Amino acid sequence: MKNIKESYELEKQPSFMQEVAKYNANKDPKAFVLTFGCQQNEADSEKIMGMLETMGYTLTDSENDADLLIVNTCAVREHAELKALSITGQFKHLKEKKPSIVIGICGCMVSQEHRVGDIKNRYPYIDFLFGTSLLPYFPQILRNVIKNPQRQFYNEDLAEKFIAEDIPVHRCDKHKAWVSIMYGCNNFCTYCVVPYVRGRERSRDKNAILAEVRQLAAEGYREITLLGQNVNSYKGGEQGYDFADLLCDICKIEGDFAVRFMTSHPKDATHKLIDVMAKEDKIAKQFHLPLQSGSNAVLQAMNRRYDREKYLSLVSYMREKMPDIGITTDIIVGFPGETEQDFEDTLDMLERVEFDNIYSFVYSKRRGTPAEKMENQIPDEIKKDRMSRLLEKQNEISLRRNRVYEGRCVDILVEGVSKTNANKLTGRTEKGRLVHFDGDASLIGKRVKVKITKAETFMLYGEYGG
Ligand code: SAH
Ligand code: SF4
């Protein structure tokens, strides 16, 4: 067993890639990358896949074909960790069937010391492990793994020292692309593990971002989503150059593409940003703005640094500038100390804001966060009851907001064939609503008009060509 500490140099990674590619020549090895978690993890996996292709691997989506298997994990909630651990547990049989398979595990879960210990002790068939900050050094790590059959664990925290550019990317979608613009988080919301597993906030150089977007636009991508744990606290180096300035510069790039971004923090949602959104046609009129709780006491205990009044005033400014804007949010129920009144304040916020959609989570204790030690942890039955009341309220609102679209014509980007009905296509409106309609697969990737004939809570149905 090795805990590796060695020198990492970004400039050397291309030569490690060449070395692995040389080793793989004539072998045609296959690699499978399994991803859990958020869009940032999906974007990271696209980089891992890009590096793997450069190193001579063919990507596969079946673990049974794979010679190399990598699991990119999430740690935001216990459920995500348990899922990753349980699936990883099943790989034991793969290793028994095919002892030559190499299995690695990376991402947020294994950026926590106690999980490194778990993997070392309880998952002996995992060959290597590396934390989030070491992703750019994946070629060096893989080279070491190939050369040396000992198990290897790489967990050095380099998070604050660099941002790596020029990593090859395997884009999984032909029409939509992720562009990470900042990494890490400084906010330390008391429930959240992200600042501990992804390190301090650091922004990419604006010229590197603009070059990447220019390239994607030239390649014909129709939708570009800017990613960051706190995307709107982007700082572009030059005095005062902020996220709104970056959006303005991105919108000057030629091409028929829409810009989206996530995730924003309400404390950094400025009027300047909202004004830019309203002015620029390229920016999709949808804002994902996590509220987390409607109670000022809970927001304070969460260290969110805004209150419900500030949130409501942001929403009214957004709607004043963009009357039809789609607003979505994240809500946590059952934060320690949340009273029935606090929870009712959250329901009240759902009514006042009328979100188009919410992503709701039951509070999950995370090791090392301040909320883990808070008194008055909420019992599971109360959490469950609050979650179902929250969803009931939001379903009512979502249906009400979707019904407005009946009889209207909407523009959508066609994303693919429906998962539930092979004869239907599926796409999203600018505001992020899911639409099903009859149509030919040649429309995938195009922006088309659809007349909405029926609305349900989570779906609009329509006719092509409206
Ligand atoms: N940086 C983003 C996303 C963070 S994780 C943001 O600040 O919004 C995505 C969502 O997971 C959060 O918005 C929050 O609603 C939820 N979440 C984070 N930690 C959680 C925890 N310990 N328990 C339950 N939900 C959590
Ligand atoms: Fe976590 Fe808060 Fe940072 Fe979001 S802003 S990643 S919830 S600490």
Side-chain angles (χ1 to χ4, degrees):
M1 183 100 58
K2 274 172 110 188
N3 263 317
I4 312 272
K5 278 196 189 286
E6 58 176 289
S7 71
Y8 298 98
E9 285 172 50
L10 286 173
E11 307 74 54
K12 289 201 178 144
Q13 300 311 307
S15 73
F16 288 124
M17 281 200 258
Q18 274 177 11
E19 200 180 324
V20 179
K22 217 159 150 193
Y23 171 86
N24 281 333
N26 308 320
K27 292 196 176 79
D28 192 25
K30 304 214 167 27
F32 174 53
V33 180
L34 179 62
T35 309
F36 292 94
C38 65
Q39 290 80 6
Q40 189 65 61
N41 262 19
E42 287 182 31
D44 283 351
S45 285
E46 289 189 349
K47 288 186 182 137
I48 293 174
M49 289 189 260
M51 291 188 263
L52 284 170
E53 281 180 323
T54 310
M55 292 188 277
Y57 290 88
T58 305
L59 299 174
T60 167
D61 48 17
S62 154
E63 66 258 33
N64 296 315
D65 292 346
D67 301 292
L68 170 66
L69 204 155
I70 294 182
V71 188
N72 189 2
T73 59
C74 168
V76 157
R77 280 169 295 278
E78 190 186 16
H79 179 69
E81 292 196 307
L82 296 181
K83 214 161 108 195
L85 287 171
S86 129
I87 292 190
T88 306
Q90 294 165 21
F91 295 150
K92 184 171 177 227
H93 306 296
L94 272 183
K95 192 82 166 187
E96 281 164 2
K97 264 203 308 202
K98 186 176 178 181
S100 64
I101 192 172
V102 174
I103 306 179
I105 184 160
C106 65
C108 294
M109 185 178 82
V110 295
S111 296
Q112 306 170 99
E113 215 45 58
H114 68 285
R115 289 299 186 200
V116 176
D118 288 347
I119 301 288
K120 273 185 187 169
N121 302 328
R122 298 187 6 226
Y123 298 80
Y125 43 90
I126 302 287
D127 298 291
F128 68 106
L129 167 161
F130 60 100
T132 54
S133 59
L134 292 171
L135 182 134
Y137 304 101
F138 176 56
Q140 182 169 354
I141 292 168
L142 190 58
R143 193 277 315 243
N144 294 350
V145 169
I146 284 171
K147 279 199 149 178
N148 177 352
Q150 254 186 320
R151 300 178 78 200
Q152 305 189 19
F153 293 84
Y154 297 82
N155 197 31
E156 192 170 6
D157 183 16
L158 294 169
E160 279 133 75
K161 296 191 184 144
F162 63 85
I163 284 194
E165 295 293 347
D166 302 323
I167 296 180
V169 183
H170 170 89
R171 307 248 176 219
C172 291
D173 193 296
K174 286 207 291 284
H175 312 291
K176 301 196 294 181
W178 312 117
V179 175
S180 298
I181 66 161
M182 54 87 67
Y183 301 91
C185 182
N186 288 350
N187 290 326
F188 290 95
C189 300
T190 52
Y191 50 82
C192 184
V193 81
V194 169
Y196 308 93
V197 295
R198 288 215 170 248
R200 293 295 69 69
E201 195 176 297
R202 50 217 186 273
S203 294
R204 258 178 96 187
D205 175 62
K206 75 169 195 199
N207 293 318
I209 298 169
L210 294 173
E212 184 173 348
V213 175
R214 237 176 256 121
Q215 170 81 23
L216 291 167
E219 288 172 16
Y221 282 89
R222 308 304 294 269
E223 201 168 279
I224 291 171
T225 303
L226 308 176
L227 292 181
Q229 289 299 342
N230 188 175
V231 77
N232 56 338
S233 82
Y234 175 84
K235 288 167 200 74
E238 286 163 33
Q239 201 111 60
Y241 188 97
D242 63 11
F243 182 57
D245 298 318
L246 179 71
L247 280 176
C248 278
D249 282 343
I250 286 176
C251 290
K252 286 185 199 133
I253 293 172
E254 259 180 56
D256 176 16
F257 62 92
V259 183
R260 296 182 183 275
F261 54 88
M262 67 192 308
T263 295
S264 301
H265 195 298
K267 81 174 166 47
D268 300 308
T270 58
H271 283 198
K272 177 178 168 190
L273 167 59
I274 295 166
D275 292 344
V276 167
M277 257 185 110
K279 186 175 100 221
E280 297 288 356
D281 289 341
K282 279 198 167 91
I283 303 179
K285 303 297 178 266
Q286 196 220 336
F287 212 120
H288 182 65
L289 195 61
L291 168 67
Q292 312 298 4
S293 168
S295 149
N296 283 344
V298 174
L299 286 172
Q300 199 175 6
M302 287 176 162
N303 190 30
R304 289 292 288 178
R305 287 176 270 179
Y306 55 85
D307 55 19
R308 50 191 273 134
E309 291 72 26
K310 152 104 181 171
Y311 193 96
L312 286 169
S313 95
L314 275 172
V315 168
S316 74
Y317 190 73
M318 279 193 254
R319 291 212 166 117
E320 181 193 320
K321 296 283 161 173
M322 297 166 276
D324 216 15
I325 190 170
I327 304 178
T328 56
T329 202
D330 291 350
I331 301 282
I332 297 177
V333 297
F335 184 79
E338 182 188 70
T339 61
E340 175 60 23
Q341 183 57 51
D342 292 326
F343 174 66
E344 282 172 20
D345 286 350
T346 299
L347 293 181
D348 176 63
M349 282 296 271
L350 297 197
E351 271 300 344
R352 281 172 195 259
V353 178
E354 288 212 311
F355 293 105
D356 294 83
N357 199 0
I358 64 167
Y359 299 87
S360 44
F361 309 101
V362 168
Y363 167 71
S364 165
K365 241 187 197 185
R366 301 287 67 210
R367 177 131 16 145
T369 59
E372 183 201 5
K373 303 269 174 336
M374 286 180 186
E375 285 171 14
N376 295 325
Q377 298 283 334
I378 305 294
D380 283 350
E381 318 81 77
I382 297 186
K383 284 184 188 166
K384 260 199 217 147
D385 173 63
R386 289 184 184 162
M387 176 58 102
S388 71
R389 285 157 66 201
L390 186 85
L391 291 176
E392 198 182 322
K393 166 67 68 191
Q394 181 56 35
N395 288 350
E396 208 183 288
I397 295 169
S398 296
L399 182 60
R400 201 191 305 155
R401 287 189 69 79
N402 272 354
R403 285 238 164 98
V404 172
Y405 285 83
E406 282 180 347
R408 274 208 217 170
C409 219
V410 291
D411 282 327
I412 66 163
L413 176 66
V414 186
E415 294 186 348
V417 176
S418 157
K419 284 190 190 121
T420 50
N421 183 339
N423 297 321
K424 289 207 182 280
L425 294 177
T426 169
R428 270 179 207 277
T429 67
E430 186 191 1
K431 275 116 205 151
R433 286 190 164 75
L434 209 52
V435 181
H436 271 198
F437 65 102
D438 291 319
D440 189 90
S442 64
L443 296 175
I444 294 170
K446 301 213 164 84
R447 238 182 277 287
V448 300
K449 286 202 183 309
V450 171
K451 183 168 180 190
I452 302 303
T453 50
K454 190 172 132 210
E456 286 181 359
T457 310
F458 302 109
M459 188 78 71
L460 297 173
Y461 297 87
E463 286 163 3
Y464 169 58

